[in-house]
Amino acid sequence: MTQLTVDELAVRVGLPGSTIRMYQTKGVLHPPRRQGRIAYYDDSHLERLTLVQRLQARGFSLPAIAELVAAREKGASVAAVLGVGDAEGPDDWVRIRVRDIRRLVGAGDVHPRIVKRAVDLGLIRWRRGWPHVRRWALEAGGRLSAMDVPSDDVLDSFAHLRRATDAIAADFVEVFERRVWPHLAEGAEQEDQLDRVRALLVELTYTAETVVVGTLRESVRDAAEEFARRHGLLPGGEFRPAWAEEPVPIAERLTDTEEETPGEPEIRRFLDRDDHDELR
């Protein structure tokens, strides 16, 4: 392992020795190893100083860097540091007991294989000899168990869903990296970036959740319609519910079964129209 005095380290990273000592005081650089009166720095100090310089170039203040470093050293996730994960509420991890597992997987279905698979999928985490699960997963698992959905089916669905949500998250982060991050880098000297990044990622998370939930509802509605058609659960084509004759509210109910697919000329005529025109 590399052993450097403070002066040698200063030459390697291009910083004054006084700045390195100041970084230690501010909590962004961990203490060196001492042999008698001599302090020795190693590769971990080189790596940390490179990170500090990179974050400062991005506009992060020393207190913000110290906060990030301290949180990571305690094992916090990036999402938790940035305020978009591990918060109290549905995302909180809660400890579960054997009776909770029995309630989740159904009577007579508790098997180490099931629990191990849930651990492998990230639904359950083992901490200090106890299983922990996200609060939302505990509640959702209880509902599915009450409907007698087999545990393997639940885990299959979760694995498939997680692959889909990973892809969705990657899309949103790619947009953030491509469209938002360059603007942050341009304004790096203006203000501390940590709070700006936090605010933007919280907004991005909320937007992604809104889009996913809204799209999922539409998909569930369409899937329910198809299910009803397959099993002959729909009334005849002439059926119209009583509320269909009511005046159209602000949030319109679209009851027509035939939807229009406009061409670009029709869309252009709509876009060129005055908003005060009467609806036709």
Coordinates of all heavy atoms in Angstrom, one line a residue, residues 221-277:
R221 N -57.0 -0.8 -16.3 CA -58.3 -0.7 -16.9 C -58.4 -1.4 -18.2 O -59.4 -2.1 -18.4 CB -58.6 0.8 -17.1 CG -58.7 1.7 -15.8 CD -59.2 3.1 -16.1 NE -59.2 3.9 -15.0 CZ -58.3 4.8 -14.7 NH1 -57.3 5.0 -15.5 NH2 -58.3 5.6 -13.6
D222 N -57.4 -1.3 -19.0 CA -57.5 -2.0 -20.3 C -57.5 -3.5 -20.1 O -58.2 -4.2 -20.8 CB -56.3 -1.6 -21.2 CG -56.4 -0.1 -21.7 OD1 -57.5 0.4 -21.6 OD2 -55.4 0.4 -22.1
A223 N -56.6 -4.0 -19.2 CA -56.5 -5.4 -18.9 C -57.8 -5.9 -18.3 O -58.3 -7.0 -18.6 CB -55.4 -5.7 -17.9
A224 N -58.5 -5.1 -17.5 CA -59.8 -5.5 -16.9 C -60.9 -5.6 -18.0 O -61.7 -6.5 -18.0 CB -60.2 -4.5 -15.8
E225 N -60.8 -4.6 -18.9 CA -61.8 -4.7 -20.0 C -61.6 -6.0 -20.8 O -62.6 -6.6 -21.2 CB -61.6 -3.5 -20.9 CG -62.1 -2.2 -20.3 CD -63.6 -2.1 -20.3 OE1 -64.3 -2.6 -21.3 OE2 -64.2 -1.5 -19.4
E226 N -60.3 -6.3 -21.1 CA -60.1 -7.5 -21.9 C -60.5 -8.8 -21.1 O -61.1 -9.7 -21.7 CB -58.6 -7.5 -22.2 CG -58.2 -8.8 -23.0 CD -58.9 -8.9 -24.3 OE1 -59.3 -7.9 -24.9 OE2 -59.1 -10.1 -24.8
F227 N -60.2 -8.8 -19.8 CA -60.7 -9.9 -19.0 C -62.2 -10.1 -19.0 O -62.7 -11.2 -19.2 CB -60.2 -9.7 -17.6 CG -60.7 -10.7 -16.6 CD1 -60.1 -11.9 -16.4 CD2 -61.9 -10.4 -15.8 CE1 -60.6 -12.8 -15.5 CE2 -62.4 -11.3 -14.9 CZ -61.8 -12.5 -14.7
A228 N -62.9 -8.9 -18.9 CA -64.3 -9.0 -18.9 C -64.9 -9.5 -20.2 O -65.8 -10.2 -20.3 CB -64.9 -7.6 -18.6
R229 N -64.2 -9.0 -21.3 CA -64.7 -9.5 -22.7 C -64.5 -11.0 -22.8 O -65.3 -11.7 -23.3 CB -63.9 -8.7 -23.8 CG -64.5 -7.4 -24.1 CD -64.0 -6.8 -25.4 NE -62.6 -6.5 -25.2 CZ -62.2 -5.2 -24.9 NH1 -63.1 -4.3 -24.6 NH2 -60.9 -5.0 -24.7
R230 N -63.3 -11.5 -22.4 CA -63.0 -12.9 -22.5 C -64.0 -13.8 -21.8 O -64.3 -14.9 -22.2 CB -61.6 -13.2 -22.0 CG -60.5 -12.8 -22.9 CD -59.2 -13.6 -22.6 NE -58.8 -13.5 -21.2 CZ -58.1 -12.6 -20.6 NH1 -57.6 -11.6 -21.4 NH2 -57.8 -12.7 -19.3
H231 N -64.5 -13.3 -20.6 CA -65.3 -14.1 -19.8 C -66.8 -13.7 -19.9 O -67.6 -14.1 -19.1 CB -64.9 -14.0 -18.3 CG -63.6 -14.6 -18.0 ND1 -63.5 -16.0 -17.7 CD2 -62.3 -14.1 -18.1 CE1 -62.2 -16.3 -17.5 NE2 -61.5 -15.2 -17.8
G232 N -67.1 -12.9 -20.9 CA -68.5 -12.6 -21.2 C -69.2 -11.8 -20.1 O -70.4 -12.0 -19.8
L233 N -68.5 -10.9 -19.5 CA -69.0 -10.1 -18.3 C -69.5 -8.8 -18.7 O -70.0 -8.0 -17.8 CB -67.9 -10.0 -17.2 CG -67.3 -11.3 -16.7 CD1 -66.2 -11.0 -15.7 CD2 -68.4 -12.2 -16.1
L234 N -69.5 -8.4 -20.0 CA -69.9 -7.1 -20.4 C -71.3 -7.1 -20.9 O -71.7 -8.1 -21.6 CB -68.9 -6.5 -21.5 CG -67.5 -6.3 -21.0 CD1 -66.6 -5.8 -22.2 CD2 -67.5 -5.2 -19.9
P235 N -72.1 -6.0 -20.7 CA -73.4 -6.0 -21.3 C -73.3 -5.7 -22.8 O -72.3 -5.5 -23.3 CB -74.1 -4.8 -20.6 CG -72.9 -3.9 -20.1 CD -71.8 -4.9 -19.8
G236 N -74.5 -5.7 -23.4 CA -74.5 -5.5 -24.9 C -74.0 -4.2 -25.3 O -73.8 -3.3 -24.5
G237 N -73.7 -4.1 -26.6 CA -73.1 -2.9 -27.2 C -74.0 -1.6 -27.0 O -73.5 -0.5 -27.1
E238 N -75.3 -1.8 -26.9 CA -76.2 -0.6 -26.8 C -76.3 -0.1 -25.4 O -77.0 0.9 -25.1 CB -77.6 -1.0 -27.3 CG -77.6 -1.4 -28.7 CD -77.1 -0.4 -29.7 OE1 -77.4 0.8 -29.4 OE2 -76.3 -0.7 -30.6
F239 N -75.7 -0.8 -24.4 CA -75.9 -0.4 -23.0 C -75.2 0.9 -22.7 O -74.0 1.1 -23.2 CB -75.3 -1.5 -22.1 CG -75.3 -1.1 -20.6 CD1 -76.4 -1.1 -19.9 CD2 -74.1 -0.6 -20.1 CE1 -76.3 -0.8 -18.5 CE2 -74.0 -0.3 -18.7 CZ -75.1 -0.3 -18.0
R240 N -75.9 1.9 -22.0 CA -75.3 3.1 -21.6 C -75.7 3.3 -20.1 O -76.9 3.3 -19.8 CB -75.7 4.3 -22.5 CG -75.1 4.3 -23.8 CD -75.6 5.5 -24.7 NE -75.2 6.8 -24.1 CZ -74.0 7.3 -24.4 NH1 -73.1 6.7 -25.1 NH2 -73.7 8.5 -23.9
P241 N -74.7 3.5 -19.2 CA -75.1 3.8 -17.8 C -75.8 5.1 -17.7 O -75.8 6.0 -18.5 CB -73.7 3.8 -17.1 CG -72.8 4.2 -18.2 CD -73.3 3.6 -19.5
A242 N -76.6 5.2 -16.6 CA -77.4 6.4 -16.3 C -76.6 7.6 -16.3 O -77.1 8.7 -16.8 CB -78.2 6.2 -15.0
W243 N -75.4 7.6 -15.7 CA -74.6 8.8 -15.6 C -74.1 9.3 -16.9 O -73.6 10.4 -17.1 CB -73.5 8.6 -14.6 CG -72.6 7.4 -14.9 CD1 -72.6 6.3 -14.3 CD2 -71.5 7.4 -15.9 NE1 -71.6 5.4 -14.8 CE2 -71.0 6.1 -15.7 CE3 -71.0 8.2 -16.8 CZ2 -69.9 5.6 -16.5 CZ3 -69.9 7.8 -17.6 CH2 -69.4 6.5 -17.5
A244 N -74.2 8.5 -18.0 CA -73.7 8.9 -19.3 C -74.5 10.1 -19.9 O -74.0 10.8 -20.7 CB -73.7 7.8 -20.3
E245 N -75.8 10.3 -19.4 CA -76.6 11.3 -19.9 C -76.4 12.6 -19.1 O -77.0 13.7 -19.4 CB -78.1 10.9 -19.8 CG -78.4 9.6 -20.5 CD -77.9 9.6 -22.0 OE1 -78.0 10.7 -22.6 OE2 -77.5 8.6 -22.5
E246 N -75.6 12.6 -18.0 CA -75.4 13.8 -17.2 C -74.5 14.8 -18.0 O -73.8 14.4 -18.9 CB -74.7 13.4 -15.9 CG -75.5 12.5 -15.0 CD -74.7 12.1 -13.8 OE1 -73.5 12.5 -13.7 OE2 -75.2 11.3 -13.0
P247 N -74.6 16.1 -17.6 CA -73.7 17.1 -18.2 C -72.3 16.7 -18.0 O -71.9 16.1 -17.0 CB -74.1 18.4 -17.5 CG -75.5 18.2 -17.0 CD -75.5 16.7 -16.6
V248 N -71.4 17.0 -19.0 CA -70.0 16.6 -18.9 C -69.3 17.5 -17.8 O -69.4 18.7 -17.9 CB -69.3 16.8 -20.2 CG1 -67.9 16.5 -20.1 CG2 -70.0 15.9 -21.3
P249 N -68.8 16.9 -16.8 CA -68.0 17.7 -15.8 C -66.7 18.1 -16.3 O -66.3 17.8 -17.4 CB -67.9 16.7 -14.6 CG -67.8 15.3 -15.3 CD -68.7 15.4 -16.5
I250 N -65.9 18.8 -15.4 CA -64.6 19.3 -15.8 C -63.7 18.1 -16.2 O -63.0 18.1 -17.2 CB -64.0 20.1 -14.7 CG1 -64.8 21.4 -14.5 CG2 -62.5 20.5 -15.0 CD1 -64.3 22.3 -13.4
A251 N -63.7 17.1 -15.3 CA -63.0 15.9 -15.6 C -63.9 15.0 -16.3 O -64.8 14.4 -15.8 CB -62.6 15.2 -14.3
E252 N -63.7 14.9 -17.7 CA -64.7 14.3 -18.5 C -64.6 12.7 -18.4 O -63.6 12.1 -18.2 CB -64.4 14.6 -20.0 CG -64.5 16.1 -20.3 CD -64.3 16.4 -21.8 OE1 -64.5 15.5 -22.6 OE2 -64.0 17.5 -22.1
R253 N -65.8 12.2 -18.5 CA -65.9 10.7 -18.6 C -66.1 10.4 -20.1 O -67.1 10.8 -20.7 CB -67.1 10.2 -17.8 CG -67.1 10.4 -16.3 CD -68.2 9.7 -15.6 NE -68.3 9.9 -14.2 CZ -69.1 10.7 -13.6 NH1 -69.9 11.4 -14.3 NH2 -69.0 10.8 -12.3
L254 N -65.2 9.7 -20.6 CA -65.3 9.3 -22.0 C -65.9 7.9 -22.1 O -65.3 6.9 -21.8 CB -63.9 9.3 -22.7 CG -63.1 10.6 -22.6 CD1 -61.8 10.4 -23.3 CD2 -63.9 11.7 -23.3
T255 N -67.2 7.9 -22.6 CA -67.9 6.6 -22.6 C -68.0 6.0 -24.0 O -68.4 4.9 -24.2 CB -69.4 6.9 -22.2 OG1 -70.0 7.9 -23.0 CG2 -69.4 7.4 -20.7
D256 N -67.5 6.8 -25.0 CA -67.5 6.2 -26.4 C -66.5 5.1 -26.5 O -65.4 5.2 -26.0 CB -67.2 7.3 -27.4 CG -68.3 8.4 -27.5 OD1 -69.4 8.0 -27.1 OD2 -67.9 9.5 -28.0
T257 N -67.0 4.0 -27.1 CA -66.1 2.8 -27.2 C -65.2 3.0 -28.4 O -64.1 2.4 -28.5 CB -66.9 1.5 -27.4 OG1 -67.8 1.7 -28.5 CG2 -67.7 1.3 -26.1
E258 N -65.5 3.9 -29.4 CA -64.7 4.1 -30.6 C -63.9 5.4 -30.4 O -64.4 6.5 -30.3 CB -65.6 4.2 -31.8 CG -66.3 2.9 -32.2 CD -67.1 3.0 -33.4 OE1 -66.9 4.1 -34.1 OE2 -67.8 2.1 -33.8
E259 N -62.6 5.2 -30.4 CA -61.7 6.4 -30.2 C -61.2 6.8 -31.6 O -61.0 6.0 -32.5 CB -60.5 6.0 -29.3 CG -60.9 5.7 -27.9 CD -59.7 5.5 -27.0 OE1 -58.6 5.7 -27.4 OE2 -59.9 5.2 -25.8
E260 N -61.0 8.1 -31.7 CA -60.5 8.7 -33.0 C -59.0 8.7 -32.9 O -58.3 8.8 -31.9 CB -61.0 10.1 -33.1 CG -62.5 10.2 -33.1 CD -63.0 11.6 -33.1 OE1 -62.1 12.5 -33.1 OE2 -64.2 11.9 -33.0
T261 N -58.4 8.5 -34.1 CA -56.9 8.6 -34.3 C -56.7 9.7 -35.3 O -56.7 9.4 -36.5 CB -56.3 7.2 -34.7 OG1 -56.7 6.2 -33.8 CG2 -54.8 7.3 -34.8
P262 N -56.4 10.9 -34.8 CA -56.3 12.0 -35.7 C -54.9 11.9 -36.4 O -53.9 11.4 -36.0 CB -56.3 13.2 -34.7 CG -55.7 12.7 -33.5 CD -56.2 11.3 -33.4
G263 N -54.9 12.5 -37.6 CA -53.7 12.7 -38.4 C -53.0 14.0 -38.0 O -53.6 14.8 -37.3
E264 N -51.8 14.2 -38.5 CA -51.1 15.4 -38.2 C -51.8 16.7 -38.7 O -51.8 17.7 -37.9 CB -49.7 15.3 -38.8 CG -48.8 14.3 -38.0 CD -47.3 14.4 -38.4 OE1 -46.9 15.5 -39.0 OE2 -46.6 13.5 -38.2
P265 N -52.5 16.7 -39.8 CA -53.2 17.9 -40.2 C -54.3 18.3 -39.2 O -54.5 19.5 -38.9 CB -53.7 17.6 -41.6 CG -52.8 16.5 -42.1 CD -52.4 15.7 -40.9
E266 N -55.0 17.3 -38.8 CA -56.1 17.6 -37.8 C -55.5 18.1 -36.5 O -56.0 19.0 -35.8 CB -56.9 16.3 -37.5 CG -58.1 16.5 -36.6 CD -59.0 15.3 -36.4 OE1 -58.7 14.3 -37.2 OE2 -59.9 15.3 -35.6
I267 N -54.4 17.5 -36.1 CA -53.7 18.0 -34.8 C -53.3 19.4 -35.0 O -53.4 20.2 -34.1 CB -52.6 17.0 -34.5 CG1 -53.1 15.6 -34.1 CG2 -51.8 17.6 -33.3 CD1 -52.0 14.6 -33.9
R268 N -52.7 19.7 -36.2 CA -52.2 21.1 -36.4 C -53.4 22.1 -36.4 O -53.2 23.2 -35.8 CB -51.5 21.1 -37.8 CG -51.2 22.5 -38.3 CD -50.4 23.3 -37.3 NE -49.1 22.6 -37.0 CZ -48.4 23.0 -36.0 NH1 -48.7 24.0 -35.3 NH2 -47.2 22.4 -35.8
R269 N -54.6 21.7 -37.0 CA -55.7 22.6 -36.9 C -56.1 22.8 -35.5 O -56.5 24.0 -35.1 CB -56.9 22.0 -37.7 CG -56.7 22.1 -39.2 CD -58.0 21.8 -40.0 NE -58.5 20.4 -39.7 CZ -58.1 19.4 -40.5 NH1 -57.2 19.6 -41.5 NH2 -58.6 18.2 -40.2
F270 N -56.1 21.8 -34.6 CA -56.4 22.0 -33.2 C -55.4 22.9 -32.5 O -55.8 23.8 -31.8 CB -56.4 20.6 -32.5 CG -56.5 20.7 -31.0 CD1 -57.8 20.9 -30.4 CD2 -55.4 20.6 -30.2 CE1 -57.9 21.0 -29.1 CE2 -55.5 20.7 -28.8 CZ -56.8 20.9 -28.3
L271 N -54.1 22.7 -32.8 CA -53.1 23.5 -32.1 C -53.2 25.0 -32.5 O -52.8 25.9 -31.8 CB -51.7 23.0 -32.4 CG -51.4 21.6 -31.9 CD1 -50.1 21.1 -32.3 CD2 -51.5 21.6 -30.3
D272 N -53.7 25.2 -33.8 CA -53.8 26.6 -34.3 C -55.1 27.3 -33.8 O -55.3 28.5 -34.1 CB -53.7 26.6 -35.8 CG -52.4 26.3 -36.3 OD1 -51.4 26.4 -35.5 OD2 -52.2 25.8 -37.5
R273 N -55.9 26.5 -33.1 CA -57.2 27.1 -32.7 C -57.1 27.9 -31.5 O -56.2 27.8 -30.7 CB -58.2 25.9 -32.4 CG -59.6 26.1 -32.7 CD -60.4 24.9 -32.6 NE -60.3 24.2 -31.3 CZ -60.9 23.1 -30.9 NH1 -61.6 22.5 -31.7 NH2 -60.7 22.6 -29.7
D274 N -58.0 28.9 -31.3 CA -58.1 29.7 -30.2 C -58.7 28.9 -29.0 O -59.7 28.3 -29.2 CB -58.9 31.0 -30.4 CG -58.7 32.0 -29.3 OD1 -58.8 31.6 -28.1 OD2 -58.6 33.2 -29.6
D275 N -58.1 29.0 -27.8 CA -58.7 28.2 -26.7 C -60.1 28.7 -26.3 O -60.8 28.0 -25.6 CB -57.8 28.4 -25.5 CG -56.6 27.4 -25.5 OD1 -56.7 26.5 -26.3 OD2 -55.6 27.7 -24.8
H276 N -60.5 29.9 -26.8 CA -61.8 30.4 -26.5 C -62.9 29.9 -27.4 O -64.1 30.2 -27.3 CB -61.8 31.9 -26.5 CG -61.0 32.5 -25.4 ND1 -61.3 32.4 -24.0 CD2 -59.8 33.1 -25.4 CE1 -60.4 33.0 -23.3 NE2 -59.5 33.4 -24.1
D277 N -62.4 29.2 -28.5 CA -63.4 28.6 -29.4 C -64.3 27.6 -28.7 O -63.9 26.9 -27.7 CB -62.7 27.8 -30.6 CG -62.0 28.8 -31.5 OD1 -62.2 30.0 -31.4 OD2 -61.2 28.3 -32.3

